[in-house]
């Protein structure tokens, strides 16, 4: 009986995650296609095949639904860091965790559908002022979770020791620099290469070029 209850709980949680992801993706897609001001919650819910009430059970509005994609990716980075081998150097583990959550290009070198969705969402975030407040909240939550993962890995206390929060802030800033540079119209370097370059500079102490 306990096993059945556990399986049912697991299925419910998976369904919730799938619904949350579907709503976030639908919000991004419609806002990119039509413009921020031309999309309603009812239209997003219909695109995700749920009711508007269901949308509001997950998100307070369009901005939170879009920022959720950023937060979910950051949470997966923290989870990946926790899963790395215990003996692996911290910064090696961090770089691998960060790179693992940025969709790689498909073999022929063209961006994957997931990568295109991610780029569209970032461009929307950068261009739409109404999103900035939710993105700041998502960034704060993401840094908190990453600091906890770093504290667990280093045996430190995230609430008392400065190191976990400092590293989490550096990781967030370094990732943001790589992403924003990649999105520039004149940037030709793939994001994965930029991430390698940025974190190599960070881990070597940011020497002057």
């Amino acid at each position: 009986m306990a096993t059945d209850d556990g399986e049912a709980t697991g299925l419910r949680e998976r369904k919730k995650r799938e619904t949350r992801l579907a709503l976030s993706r639908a919000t991004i897609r419609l806002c990119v296609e039509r413009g921020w001001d031309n999309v309603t919650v009812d239209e997003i819910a219909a695109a995700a095949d749920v009711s508007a009430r269901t949308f509001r059970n997950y998100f307070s509005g369009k901005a939170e639904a879009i920022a959720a994609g950023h937060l979910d990716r950051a949470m997966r980075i923290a989870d990946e860091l926790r899963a790395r081998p215990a003996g692996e150097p911290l910064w090696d583990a961090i770089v691998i965790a960060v790179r693992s959550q940025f969709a790689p290009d498909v073999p022929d070198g063209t961006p994957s559908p997931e990568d295109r969705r991610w780029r569209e969402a970032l461009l929307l975030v950068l261009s739409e002022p109404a999103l900035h407040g939710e993105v700041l909240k998502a960034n704060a939550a993401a840094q908190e979770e990453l600091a906890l993962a770093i504290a667990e890995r280093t045996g430190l206390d995230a609430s008392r020791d400065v190191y976990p929060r400092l590293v989490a802030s550096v990781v967030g800033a370094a990732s943001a620099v790589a992403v924003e540079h990649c999105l520039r119209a004149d940037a030709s370097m793939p994001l994965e290469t930029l991430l390698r370059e940025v974190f190599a500079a960070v881990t070597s102490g940011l020497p002057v070029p």
Side-chain angles (χ1 to χ4, degrees), residues 63-155:
E64 186 180 3
I66 291 175
H70 169 65
L71 178 57
D72 290 347
R73 182 188 293 271
M75 294 299 190
R76 293 195 301 271
I77 290 173
D79 288 342
E80 178 67 20
L81 179 59
R82 291 185 174 99
R84 298 301 305 167
E88 189 172 50
L90 175 64
W91 279 101
D92 290 351
I94 287 173
V95 172
I96 291 170
V98 170
R99 287 174 50 216
S100 74
Q101 296 307 317
F102 287 90
D105 289 346
V106 293
D108 65 0
T110 60
S112 67
E114 180 66 24
D115 190 49
R116 284 194 294 271
R117 279 193 295 268
W118 168 75
R119 288 170 184 267
E120 289 170 348
L122 279 174
L123 288 170
L124 182 61
V125 165
L126 292 172
S127 64
E128 180 49 61
L131 283 166
H132 293 174
E134 285 296 339
V135 171
L136 284 174
K137 290 198 308 188
N139 280 336
Q143 284 198 13
E144 177 70 20
E145 188 64 22
L146 184 57
L148 289 173
I150 292 166
E152 292 167 18
R153 192 173 182 87
T154 56

Side-chain angles (χ1 to χ4, degrees), residues 41-85:
V41 166
D42 286 343
E43 290 168 336
I44 295 166
D49 199 25
V50 299
S51 67
R53 180 177 180 181
T54 297
F55 178 97
R56 293 187 177 90
N57 286 339
Y58 285 87
F59 303 115
S60 60
K62 294 183 292 183
E64 186 180 3
I66 291 175
H70 169 65
L71 178 57
D72 290 347
R73 182 188 293 271
M75 294 299 190
R76 293 195 301 271
I77 290 173
D79 288 342
E80 178 67 20
L81 179 59
R82 291 185 174 99
R84 298 301 305 167

Side-chain angles (χ1 to χ4, degrees), residues 25-35 39-40 43-45 47:
R25 286 180 172 175
T27 306
I28 293 167
R29 177 174 60 80
L30 291 177
C31 288
V32 168
E33 290 174 354
R34 305 178 187 177
V39 177
T40 67
E43 290 168 336
I44 295 166

